[in-house]
Amino acid sequence: MDIILVSGRLKKARSYTVTRPQLAFMGMLGLLAVVSLAVLLNYMSLRYAVATNSPLLHAFMADAQAQESRKAQSYLRESLNTMASKLGEMQAQIFKLNTMGERVSKLAGLKPQDFTFDATGKGGALVTTAPIEVSVEELKARIDLLAKQVDDGSDKLGVLESVMTEAHARKQLQPTAMPTGSGLYSSNFGWRIDPFTGYNAFHEGVDFMGEVGTPIRAAAGGVVVASEFHPQYGNMIEIDHGNDLVTRYGHASKRTVKVGDVVLRGSKIGEVGSTGRSTGPHLHFEVRMRGVAQNPSRFLQPPG
């Protein structure tokens, strides 16, 4: 852009060329000057208002502070109401957990007076009047109470888990599983007529009917303490389940475990046969406590 200056004092006209960058710089200087002037005027007016104790300024500042206070109070109230609502939901969930814990503890066979959950029922009609808003102090008290309930419930559930785990472990070591697929006895525990002598004799186990080759399974988990041929029991296997409890499996056609093997409940340990003192294929099964024969029917649970 060209600028031409014409004046009577000048002998001849002068021309100046202004480039676009120079023009932009001049524009920015002008804008900066206007902004600076506005800021300066605003500052001077505020200083004047303060110095003269202007009622208008005080009214303006008071109104601004009141608006900010109302916004803060509204935000705080909304936050408190939201927290109170969430707190109510958490209390309902804890009530459900407590109720479930009480039911499970009863199933576990625990005494109610020794192990109880706070499952007191709560309810009532819906009140249609305006609800009372929760204060910060009341909300804090509720949160503290809820924290105590959570800690107490966690401790009780931890104890319940230990009890249930121990009960499950004991069950796995109790000879309750049928050693064969069939639960049919060919001879019960107790006195009977001996099939070889024809005299009255005590039978220390039960005989399960089964064909040769039928899998024999451990009635409970344990350690194999005997896997040998016995003159009376034929191919015999004994499993120690701990607590002086031993199961014995006789007349097997085949033994598939050896001494020292750890077996699980239901693991195959052999096959049905007719070895030893036997009149035909079957499994002779005994349960012994401290070496004394027990009635296996007290331990075994029927299939299904």
Side-chain angles (χ1 to χ4, degrees):
M1 182 178 68
D2 295 331
I3 300 175
I4 301 174
L5 297 178
V6 180
S7 175
R9 297 179 181 180
L10 299 176
K11 295 180 180 181
K12 59 178 181 180
R14 293 183 180 180
S15 62
Y16 298 93
T17 302
V18 181
T19 62
R20 289 185 177 179
Q22 291 175 339
L23 186 61
F25 180 72
M26 293 173 63
M28 290 179 62
L29 286 178
L31 180 61
L32 181 61
V34 173
V35 172
S36 299
L37 181 60
V39 172
L40 180 60
L41 290 175
N42 185 51
Y43 174 75
M44 293 302 295
S45 62
L46 289 176
R47 287 293 301 271
Y48 174 77
V50 172
T52 57
N53 197 18
S54 173
L56 181 62
L57 177 61
H58 284 289
F60 174 77
M61 296 297 293
D63 183 64
Q65 291 177 355
Q67 289 182 3
E68 290 298 325
S69 178
R70 285 193 295 269
K71 289 181 180 179
Q73 289 293 335
S74 177
Y75 177 76
L76 178 61
R77 178 53 53 197
E78 291 179 0
S79 300
L80 288 176
N81 291 338
T82 302
M83 293 176 63
S85 177
K86 294 296 182 182
L87 183 62
E89 294 177 2
M90 293 176 63
Q91 288 175 330
Q93 293 298 327
I94 290 178
F95 175 72
K96 289 183 179 180
L97 290 176
N98 288 342
T99 303
M100 184 180 299
E102 183 175 341
R103 293 176 180 174
V104 175
S105 63
K106 290 180 180 179
L107 292 176
L110 300 175
K111 296 180 180 179
Q113 61 270 25
D114 295 336
F115 195 85
T116 58
F117 284 84
D118 181 15
T120 305
K122 298 179 180 179
L126 177 64
V127 179
T128 57
T129 58
I132 301 176
E133 295 181 342
V134 180
S135 64
V136 177
E137 292 75 13
E138 185 178 358
L139 183 61
K140 182 179 182 302
R142 290 187 183 182
I143 292 176
D144 292 340
L145 178 60
L146 184 62
K148 292 180 181 179
Q149 291 177 346
V150 170
D151 291 340
D152 182 64
S154 298
D155 293 340
K156 289 180 178 179
L157 287 175
V159 174
L160 182 59
E161 180 184 14
S162 299
V163 172
M164 295 294 289
T165 301
E166 182 180 357
H168 178 72
R170 288 182 178 178
K171 183 178 180 181
Q172 293 299 312
L173 298 177
Q174 291 291 320
T176 56
M178 287 291 177
T180 63
S182 171
L184 300 177
Y185 300 160
S186 59
S187 182
N188 292 321
F189 177 86
W191 292 96
R192 67 171 185 175
I193 301 299
D194 186 273
F196 288 93
T197 65
Y199 295 108
N200 199 28
F202 193 85
H203 189 222
E204 295 186 330
V206 293
D207 293 338
F208 288 92
M209 295 184 293
E211 299 179 355
V212 175
T214 300
I216 301 173
R217 303 191 180 278
V223 180
V224 178
V225 294
S227 179
E228 60 191 15
F229 186 86
H230 189 280
Q232 304 292 325
Y233 294 99
N235 284 319
M236 181 191 72
I237 302 165
E238 287 187 351
I239 300 177
D240 187 347
H241 306 287
N243 297 321
D244 297 321
L245 192 64
V246 176
T247 52
R248 177 179 294 175
Y249 311 78
H251 308 308
S253 62
K254 182 179 181 181
R255 291 176 278 115
T256 58
V257 292
K258 61 184 183 299
V259 174
D261 286 351
V262 177
V263 296
L264 300 177
R265 176 190 180 93
S267 299
K268 181 180 177 180
I269 59 175
E271 296 178 359
V272 171
S274 184
T275 58
R277 192 171 183 269
S278 170
T279 61
H282 71 284
L283 169 66
H284 175 81
F285 177 74
E286 294 182 9
V287 177
R288 291 183 171 269
M289 177 73 73
R290 298 186 181 90
V292 179
Q294 307 291 320
N295 188 350
S297 301
R298 293 171 45 200
F299 298 88
L300 296 175
Q301 296 179 354

